[in-house]
Amino acid sequence: MADQRRQPRISLSAPVKLSEPGSRWLLAGTALNISWGGASVRCKGLLAEAGQQVCVHLPSPDGSSISILATILRVEGDLPDCLYALRYESLDPEDERRLQQVLMTLM
């Protein structure tokens, strides 16, 4: 499969949380790479398929979290431990600014 990414990815291993939109239940995951447009996240216990939306909660340097609505592009692996390829869909201006700060620090 050809790589169709639009932005370069930064490899890392960072704790994140995933949730269904509108849900207060957060599942712990690990971001394996991240970019301006998406991330790859390993998460146990998330029962989701390609095309579904999730909220990604990334840690921010100020101790809060950056919440991003994302669409699952691809699911790899077997339940309960899957790797989710995510594309960001919606990000408020303040979270976008904080995400830029995080990515610039990692580059």
Side-chain angles (χ1 to χ4, degrees):
M1 175 193 276
D3 191 345
Q4 298 178 6
R5 295 178 180 153
R6 295 180 189 163
Q7 294 91 10
R9 296 277 172 153
I10 301 167
S11 294
L12 68 140
S13 179
V16 298
K17 297 194 184 310
L18 295 179
S19 68
E20 293 182 6
S23 174
R24 295 186 305 171
W25 295 101
L26 299 175
L27 295 170
T30 303
L32 302 179
N33 66 52
I34 191 169
S35 76
W36 299 100
S40 291
V41 176
R42 183 166 303 284
C43 184
K44 290 184 180 182
L46 181 65
L47 303 176
E49 299 176 351
Q52 286 184 268
Q53 290 191 324
V54 294
C55 288
V56 184
H57 308 275
L58 304 170
S60 177
D62 64 9
S64 63
S65 69
I66 302 167
S67 297
I68 306 170
L69 182 64
T71 298
I72 298 171
L73 299 178
R74 193 173 55 257
V75 180
E76 298 175 5
D78 297 317
L79 291 174
D81 187 21
C82 293
L83 180 66
Y84 296 91
L86 307 174
R87 180 183 61 221
Y88 305 146
E89 297 296 336
S90 178
L91 188 62
D92 74 44
E94 179 59 23
D95 282 340
E96 182 175 5
R97 183 187 65 76
R98 293 189 304 152
L99 176 61
Q100 288 176 350
Q101 289 176 335
V102 169
L103 293 175
M104 294 303 289
T105 301
L106 294 171
M107 293 177 89

